[in-house]
Amino acid sequence: MDPSVIADNMPAFLAGFRLSLQLTLVAGAGALVVGALVAMLRVSPLGSLRAFGAVYTELLRNTPLTLVFFFTVYVLPQFTPFRFFGYAAAVLALTLYTSAFVAEAVRSGINSVGVGQAEAARAIGLTFGQTLTSVVLPQAVRSVIPPLINVIIALAKNTSVAAGFAVVELMATGRRLAQGNPGESIMVLVGVALFYLVITIPAGQLAGALERRVAFAR
Amino acid sequence: MADSVTADPAAPSATRPTGDPLLVLSGVNKHFGSLHVLRDIDLTVHRGEVVVVIGPSGSGKSTLCRTINRLETIDSGTITIDGEPIPAEGRALARLRADVGMVFQSFNLFAHKTVLENVTLGQVKAKKVKPAQARTTAMELLERVGVANQAEKYPAQLSGGQQQRVAIARALAMKPKALLFDEPTSALDPEMINEVLDVMVGLARDGMTMVVVTHEMGFARRAAQRVVFMDAGQVVEEADPETFFTAPRSERARDFLSKILTH
């Protein structure tokens, strides 16, 4: 058990870390946008939009992430002109999968805002979109942030699935280093764990800071 | 329906229409599941008229009020506002809702916005009024309802009576043709009821068309031209306030009044 194996392979660790962080940030941003849109579909006055949103969420939320990866890498090219490999495939799969959880978090936040708020907004002539963006969503933000941060933390860890699909992120880096240094595989894995914590612990801290910022008098 | 005595619209004493028909409900029916909450409702409210809707809880009076700006949809019948049928969901409905203000039992002020912002939001978003003009209008209205000095506070910092007066200002800011009040004083502490009723009486004097679901008989006597008594989803009786409260014709109205007048 010699910690120097981490220091000796720092460039490899950092490259893997950077890729994991990048996957988290890019797929996280995409999932927030897509998830918020799906959540809006799910509270829409149109039944067909609500149904689409529900099917989308339930399909992606209830299938293993690995399966979503398989679909984007192997199935999608057979039925569409799109071909995704490696990093692009990982971003797509992680975005789709995570967006379903974002949608659920945002939807529950929307539902946490009293129905009277939306009724009052509609009663002064705001459209459905204006009601959501001016009245409901600003109040939903407070209750959405904690579950949303959980979703992002899960995403940071889920990026490790990309290791199985030719993306040399943190997990794949760890596996290679462990194979190259069979005597120090435990220390290598400890190093991998530490780098994940560098992403996930600040995310939790950020949640607390954001919660305090969006708090307002009621 | 032996005790159902609906006023003859031509009866001289019962109703004194002040203008042309503004809100017209005809043959309106609504169900909540198997519950028939509105049964063949016919009701015409004229421009400038104040109608008080009264009745036991569960009689459908709130639902009736909420159908007029389509916060509740109806199963059959028609509702027209100034001659225009209420459109289905969409931009046309949003425009029409701005024409019919609503004041809720639980105020429903926007919790994340200041009092002033509560009154400017609809003007700016729905009517595209310039923010500076919207603020001027809002301050005038807050002055009128007596809460101008609270303009920068958040709703939670106000008393119930103050919140409800802000809600009235918010509705007035849209320059509505009519105002709907859904039990506007039922959630208020007794000492705050009058400050809200005073504002409403003022509006009535200024000629605002109003439909008011309330049990405040004092208000009905001071401000209303007509009382509509509902029970079990039906309009059972219509009369001017004095007649209704002193000599109700239907058994159900007598029974109801005896219950609320006991104390």
Side-chain angles (χ1 to χ4, degrees):
Chain A
M1 292 270 271
D2 180 5
S4 68
V5 69
I6 298 175
D8 293 346
N9 293 289
M10 196 48 92
F13 269 116
L14 281 177
F17 168 74
R18 205 176 304 129
L19 201 50
S20 285
L21 182 62
Q22 199 178 334
L23 279 173
T24 306
L25 293 178
V26 176
L32 285 178
V33 173
V34 177
L37 289 174
V38 172
M40 287 168 86
L41 292 184
R42 294 206 67 181
V43 296
S44 151
L46 292 177
S48 52
L49 293 183
R50 280 201 304 275
F52 175 83
V55 170
Y56 178 94
T57 315
E58 294 306 331
L59 268 184
L60 283 161
R61 195 165 67 124
N62 295 307
T63 31
L65 176 57
T66 313
L67 200 65
V68 178
F69 264 89
F70 270 108
F71 267 87
T72 54
V73 175
Y74 299 114
V75 181
L76 213 55
Q78 295 190 26
F79 298 98
T80 70
F82 302 111
R83 255 153 246 284
F84 294 98
F85 301 106
Y87 178 76
V91 167
L92 182 65
L94 287 165
T95 300
L96 290 176
Y97 180 78
T98 308
S99 68
F101 292 89
V102 171
E104 276 302 284
V106 173
R107 187 175 70 102
S108 73
I110 288 174
N111 288 341
S112 77
V113 178
V115 66
Q117 294 285 309
E119 284 190 346
R122 287 154 68 204
I124 56 169
L126 299 194
T127 60
F128 170 73
Q130 288 171 331
T131 298
L132 267 186
T133 54
S134 297
V135 174
V136 178
L137 287 178
Q139 297 187 62
V141 165
R142 284 190 319 162
S143 49
V144 163
I145 283 177
L148 226 41
I149 292 290
N150 282 341
V151 169
I152 298 299
I153 289 173
L155 166 64
K157 297 183 289 182
N158 283 338
T159 57
S160 62
V161 174
F165 295 84
V167 181
V168 189
E169 42 63 79
L170 200 44
M171 194 67 226
T173 304
R175 200 155 56 200
R176 285 182 187 188
L177 290 176
Q179 278 161 0
N181 306 273
E184 292 299 342
S185 56
I186 293 174
M187 215 56 230
V188 167
L189 292 178
V190 167
V192 169
L194 287 176
F195 274 105
Y196 274 113
L197 291 179
V198 169
I199 301 177
T200 51
I201 287 185
Q205 304 283 320
L206 181 68
L210 279 177
E211 264 180 83
R212 281 188 293 278
R213 257 195 81 177
V214 298
F216 57 82
R218 249 189 193 273
Chain B
M1 282 202 286
D3 60 346
S4 170
V5 188
T6 304
D8 173 3
S13 65
T15 62
R16 272 188 303 278
T18 17
D20 53 318
L22 181 59
L23 310 173
V24 180
L25 288 78
S26 95
V28 170
N29 278 283
K30 177 170 181 73
H31 297 78
F32 283 132
S34 61
L35 191 67
H36 200 166
V37 283
L38 295 178
R39 298 170 186 257
D40 294 319
I41 300 284
D42 294 308
L43 179 69
T44 300
V45 180
H46 298 84
R47 208 179 296 275
E49 192 181 14
V50 176
V51 172
V52 160
V53 183
I54 195 166
S57 108
S59 61
K61 53 194 194 305
S62 278
T63 308
L64 175 74
C65 189
R66 290 162 57 85
T67 59
I68 299 175
N69 67 352
R70 207 176 183 275
L71 283 180
E72 300 285 353
T73 55
I74 57 176
D75 299 337
S76 65
T78 58
I79 299 177
T80 62
I81 293 167
D82 216 357
E84 254 186 278
I86 299 184
E89 211 66 45
R91 280 180 190 279
L93 177 63
R95 261 197 304 281
L96 180 132
R97 280 199 178 118
D99 280 345
V100 184
M102 179 129 191
V103 175
F104 299 87
Q105 179 176 354
S106 48
F107 328 132
N108 294 348
L109 293 181
F110 305 130
H112 63 308
K113 298 207 175 280
T114 64
V115 163
L116 182 65
E117 289 165 348
N118 264 276
V119 187
T120 55
L121 181 70
Q123 300 184 65
V124 174
K125 294 279 175 187
K127 293 231 153 153
K128 309 295 175 204
V129 175
K130 292 222 159 41
Q133 175 60 45
R135 266 196 302 278
T136 310
T137 307
M139 285 312 294
E140 284 168 13
L141 290 168
L142 290 173
E143 195 74 53
R144 181 170 168 190
V145 301
V147 285
N149 55 345
Q150 314 284 335
E152 298 305 325
K153 291 192 179 165
Y154 284 89
Q157 297 169 280
L158 270 57
S159 73
Q162 289 172 327
Q163 289 191 51
Q164 194 60 301
R165 286 183 282 148
V166 174
I168 293 173
R170 176 175 68 179
L172 289 173
M174 306 312 290
K175 302 191 171 34
K177 294 173 180 167
L179 276 184
L180 310 172
F181 292 82
D182 185 6
E183 307 211 22
T185 57
S186 301
L188 294 176
D189 290 331
E191 76 270 23
M192 292 170 185
I193 290 176
N194 279 339
E195 64 190 54
V196 171
L197 291 180
D198 285 343
V199 169
M200 291 167 60
V201 170
L203 290 175
R205 298 245 159 88
D206 294 347
M208 175 59 75
T209 310
M210 293 159 64
V211 175
V212 185
V213 176
T214 186
H215 289 162
E216 296 293 337
M217 285 183 294
F219 171 78
R221 284 198 155 110
R222 273 161 78 196
Q225 275 87 45
R226 186 156 45 122
V227 171
V228 171
F229 174 70
M230 285 185 74
D231 189 24
Q234 288 174 309
V235 173
V236 176
E237 182 168 345
E238 291 184 54
D240 69 273
E242 211 48 54
T243 310
F244 178 78
F245 289 118
T246 52
R249 283 165 292 165
S250 63
E251 182 58 41
R252 281 192 270 181
R254 273 196 294 276
D255 183 48
F256 173 72
L257 286 173
S258 75
K259 279 177 188 149
I260 65 169
L261 290 175
T262 314
H263 298 286

